[in-house]
Amino acid sequence: MAVLKVNPNRMELLNLRRRLAIAKRGHKLLKDKLDELMKQFLNKVRENQRLRKEIEEKLAKAYQIFAVARSESSAEIIEEALFYPHMTTSVKISEKRLMGIRVPEFEVEQEGTFDCYGLSTTPAVLDKALFLLNEVVPILIKLSEAEKAVELIAVEIEKTRRRVNALEHVLIPQLDETIVYINMKLDEAERENRTRLMKIKEMVSGGSV
Amino acid sequence: MLNALKDPLKYGYAVGRIKVRETKMLGTNRLERLVNAGDFGDQKRILAETDYGSFFQEAVTPEDVEKSLGDYLTVLYEFLEEIYPEKQILFYFISRYDFHNLKVLLKAKYGEKTGEQIWSELGTLEPESIKKGIKEGELEGIVEPYRSALEEAMSRFEESKDSQQIDIILDKALYELLYMIAKKQKNKFFIDYVRSSIDIVNLKVFMRAKNLNKEQEFVEDALLERGFVSKEKLILLYPESLDIFVKELKETPYAMMVRDSVEGQKFDLDIFDRKEDDFLVRYIKIAKYIPVGLEPLISYIMAKENEVKTLRIILIGKLSGLSAQTIKERVRVQYV
């Protein structure tokens, strides 16, 4: 590991020691954050999986019933039935902070009913198909919220992990080594000085003899 | 003149023609083969043996199937017109497409869409003139009973801004027209058929409305007149529990149909559409034993419509990947 390019003096040593202490504290904090993020991430992923499974089951069923409704009468009749819907779905988007990450929060609001067609000339099974599809919509939006959160947490985890790694494998060893290096340099200078002093003393005392 | 003398003269030719055609209908066995066929290609090979064959040669997608079936119905109605020139009977069968088109036009007008893609080609109304009339609110050029139905539907929509009202008004007008056509023919079989079908539609509306938790006013408005089971009776039964509803209908021919549809506090209407058609086909089956008259003639056309419907379920069901079991549950009873 490369040693930082600094002047090997006591001042720098004190500086580096301070930096090392901060880096170590930062590293610990970031590591804790990473652990917590991982926990949140796994929770969200689990929730995600549950929602996805639920949706897949519900959608498969809804599509099947819808395919039945679709085959029960001509395409024109089904399309006419759904030509002028009077149900509106709106999604309110707000933000929530999760471990300092801004994740979106979707709130679904549905107004009106989905039966916008005559009940006499359309197949009865259409009601069930639409009921099931209608049930899926809020869960789908919930799923998109969970998936976005997972994505954002994943990005944050990656960022934090990079920082932790940089601290752990680059900065802290570098500081450590530099401190050792400066220490050695200083010791060396100390020894050099001592030797020099001894030599001078010897010369001085020898010369006087 | 006595009917015994009048009927052979009036219907002899037409019934003769349809009796030949009746033997060529698909029948339960062939439909079963179609249900159990591996894929659409196999189904086409089976259909090639029938008079549907030429219509399906090029069909690949569900849209093609729809088009082929539409073409088949066009030819069927042309055949009816050819063998029996009285327009009223043909009108009985195709007026529903006109009403469909009127619904499309009204919803297109209010929803500011074009709606051309869901226009039915089987109706009698000319799209261009009527489209212009509806768009500009000039209904003078439109014939009755469409005009008054349109006027009512438009004023109702403008008042409530509810697109469902358009369907309710036009459906009511359609069934009133069907009843009037049957009444004009002074044929008990025909009139009873229409009244039975109105009953079944009313039961369907009743049960669907109940499932959808609709208000009492909705059923009061949407139920049709002229059925054997009076509208008033159904309205009175609407707030009651399902048990009372089933009990009250016990003496009617629909008792079984209704009883089987109850599941807990709801109606299970998954296969109600089939039951509805089965009931009516069983009714028209009597006509097979009437040697000559209006009965076998209209029954044949109704039976063909039922056959086309069944075929649509089988073919589109297969193309949409429904299992043979699901399709089988929905295959209608056939006339032959």
Side-chain angles (χ1 to χ4, degrees):
Chain A
M1 189 64 62
V3 170
L4 294 173
K5 278 181 194 161
V6 284
N7 292 329
N9 51 33
R10 203 159 291 277
M11 175 94 158
E12 279 298 338
L13 181 68
L14 288 173
N15 251 340
L16 284 177
R17 276 196 188 138
R18 208 166 37 238
R19 272 179 73 191
L20 181 67
I22 293 170
K24 277 192 174 157
R25 206 168 68 219
H27 176 250
K28 192 183 169 299
L29 280 173
L30 282 173
K31 199 142 194 180
D32 288 350
K33 184 183 174 187
L34 189 65
D35 289 346
E36 186 54 32
L37 276 175
M38 278 311 281
K39 218 169 100 189
Q40 295 279 355
F41 181 74
L42 289 176
N43 277 344
K44 284 275 171 201
V45 165
R46 245 173 258 135
E47 187 193 336
N48 221 340
Q49 271 173 343
R50 185 184 59 76
L51 282 173
R52 191 158 269 282
K53 212 172 145 216
E54 189 184 341
I55 278 181
E56 269 165 18
E57 274 166 20
K58 284 200 165 161
L59 264 187
K61 199 167 168 218
Y63 277 136
Q64 199 205 358
I65 303 271
F66 194 76
V68 169
R70 171 65 193 75
S71 65
E72 282 280 356
S73 57
S74 68
E76 287 117 33
I77 290 187
I78 300 287
E79 289 206 28
E80 184 277 320
L82 308 175
F83 197 45
Y84 194 135
H86 50 37
M87 182 176 201
T88 53
T89 300
S90 55
V91 181
K92 262 194 197 157
I93 306 173
S94 53
E95 265 182 4
K96 183 171 76 172
R97 289 187 88 87
L98 189 90
M99 305 269 318
I101 313 164
R102 282 188 297 191
V103 291
E105 208 173 19
F106 300 145
E107 204 182 314
V108 192
E109 267 176 34
Q110 289 181 314
E111 249 178 73
T113 51
F114 59 80
D115 56 309
C116 56
Y117 41 82
L119 301 184
S120 339
T121 45
T122 49
V125 69
L126 183 64
D127 298 347
K128 192 171 176 186
L130 291 179
F131 176 77
L132 291 174
L133 283 171
N134 190 43
E135 247 186 354
V136 176
V137 173
I139 313 175
L140 260 179
I141 294 171
K142 205 91 213 127
L143 176 72
S144 65
E145 182 187 309
E147 286 205 338
K148 189 70 197 164
V150 164
E151 194 189 313
L152 291 170
I153 296 177
V155 170
E156 190 64 23
I157 286 180
E158 207 189 316
K159 246 198 265 173
T160 315
R161 177 165 293 150
R162 211 180 295 132
R163 280 192 197 139
V164 170
N165 283 344
L167 283 175
E168 193 175 324
H169 299 292
V170 183
L171 193 65
I172 295 176
Q174 260 179 2
L175 290 173
D176 269 338
E177 269 178 46
T178 316
I179 289 169
V180 170
Y181 163 75
I182 296 179
N183 265 334
M184 273 164 30
K185 269 272 185 205
L186 288 177
D187 285 355
E188 183 65 24
E190 179 74 24
R191 275 192 297 277
E192 216 179 274
N193 205 20
R194 188 176 289 252
T195 327
R196 200 163 32 238
L197 280 175
M198 280 166 75
K199 189 79 184 160
I200 293 171
K201 194 181 173 192
E202 200 183 288
M203 276 165 72
V204 170
S205 58
S208 67
V209 172
Chain B
M1 210 183 339
L2 282 167
N3 272 358
L5 285 174
K6 201 174 76 181
D7 281 1
L9 284 176
K10 203 170 168 192
Y11 302 107
Y13 172 70
V15 173
R17 293 280 305 267
I18 59 135
K19 284 289 169 195
V20 180
R21 293 237 175 171
E22 252 176 41
T23 58
K24 291 182 188 159
M25 284 179 72
L26 291 181
T28 316
N29 287 344
R30 208 175 257 132
L31 288 173
E32 206 161 294
R33 271 176 67 203
L34 281 168
V35 173
N36 294 325
D39 57 19
F40 184 54
D42 290 347
Q43 289 180 325
K44 278 208 292 196
R45 268 188 288 283
I46 298 170
L47 283 177
E49 305 159 10
T50 67
D51 60 348
Y52 287 92
S54 56
F55 292 88
F56 283 96
Q57 266 167 7
E58 309 290 326
V60 183
T61 61
E63 288 73 33
D64 299 340
V65 173
E66 289 284 354
K67 197 179 170 296
S68 306
L69 290 173
D71 292 347
Y72 188 86
L73 281 176
T74 310
V75 173
L76 175 73
Y77 296 137
E78 278 167 10
F79 168 73
L80 171 66
E81 202 177 4
E82 180 198 325
I83 60 168
Y84 189 72
E86 195 185 316
K87 280 269 179 287
Q88 279 293 307
I89 298 297
L90 176 70
F91 197 51
Y92 174 84
F93 290 103
I94 58 177
S95 54
R96 85 182 72 143
Y97 302 107
D98 284 334
F99 276 100
H100 165 82
N101 286 342
L102 293 182
K103 286 183 199 170
V104 173
L105 287 179
L106 279 186
K107 288 187 180 179
K109 173 185 156 104
Y110 293 120
E112 289 169 8
K113 299 179 190 170
T114 61
E116 264 153 29
Q117 69 284 8
I118 51 173
W119 179 271
S120 171
E121 299 294 336
L122 292 163
T124 55
L125 296 167
E126 276 296 317
E128 285 317 313
S129 61
I130 171 172
K131 213 181 280 175
K132 209 170 151 239
I134 287 184
K135 220 171 182 179
E136 288 159 15
E138 301 275 327
L139 304 177
E140 273 78 37
I142 297 166
V143 290
E144 286 293 355
Y146 302 126
R147 195 172 124 189
S148 42
L150 269 178
E151 276 168 0
E152 198 186 342
M154 284 166 91
S155 73
R156 189 71 90 79
F157 178 84
E158 275 153 27
E159 203 179 290
S160 64
K161 300 286 169 217
D162 177 5
S163 55
Q164 195 172 32
Q165 296 294 333
I166 296 175
D167 287 346
I168 290 176
I169 301 290
L170 293 181
D171 285 346
K172 276 203 306 206
L174 165 68
Y175 278 95
E176 183 64 23
L177 173 69
L178 297 183
Y179 177 76
M180 284 323 224
I181 294 174
K183 204 178 155 204
K184 232 183 223 166
Q185 295 297 318
K186 295 194 180 96
N187 181 307
K188 188 173 180 315
F189 171 86
F190 196 8
I191 298 174
D192 284 358
Y193 174 85
V194 177
R195 292 186 69 190
S196 285
S197 60
I198 288 177
D199 276 342
I200 293 180
V201 166
N202 274 347
L203 292 178
K204 179 164 87 168
V205 171
F206 183 98
M207 295 198 263
R208 293 174 80 179
K210 199 103 182 164
N211 274 359
L212 293 165
N213 294 325
K214 287 283 188 190
E215 302 280 324
Q216 167 111 6
E217 290 78 51
F218 175 84
V219 247
E220 280 173 22
D221 193 28
L223 289 177
L224 308 168
E225 307 270 1
R226 314 281 189 191
F228 287 112
V229 181
S230 76
K231 179 178 170 177
E232 289 68 33
K233 183 175 176 178
L234 289 173
I235 293 174
L236 282 178
L237 284 173
Y238 192 69
E240 303 293 340
S241 75
L242 303 194
D243 298 340
I244 296 175
F245 172 64
V246 172
K247 217 168 111 194
E248 283 293 318
L249 289 172
K250 221 166 128 192
E251 302 301 320
T252 65
Y254 321 109
M256 214 163 77
M257 210 154 104
V258 171
R259 200 189 57 215
D260 291 349
S261 300
V262 176
E263 205 187 88
Q265 284 310 303
K266 285 252 171 195
F267 291 106
D268 180 6
L269 301 176
D270 272 15
I271 50 169
F272 188 80
D273 299 300
R274 192 205 75 207
K275 288 183 196 156
E276 174 186 343
D277 291 338
D278 285 356
F279 184 91
L280 294 171
V281 170
R282 286 201 186 98
Y283 175 82
I284 59 170
K285 271 189 174 183
I286 326 165
K288 276 205 293 188
Y289 308 105
I290 300 174
V292 71
L294 180 65
E295 296 87 345
L297 176 66
I298 53 169
S299 297
Y300 171 74
I301 304 294
M302 290 163 183
K304 278 308 266 186
E305 285 183 337
N306 181 52
E307 184 181 272
V308 168
K309 201 175 207 178
T310 312
L311 203 53
R312 173 183 293 117
I313 292 165
I314 300 177
L315 298 180
I316 296 200
K318 189 67 85 189
L319 278 170
S320 322
L322 295 180
S323 69
Q325 183 56 33
T326 316
I327 299 176
K328 206 176 272 171
E329 278 176 0
R330 288 171 171 82
V331 170
R332 271 61 169 162
V333 165
Q334 296 298 306
Y335 182 63
V336 289

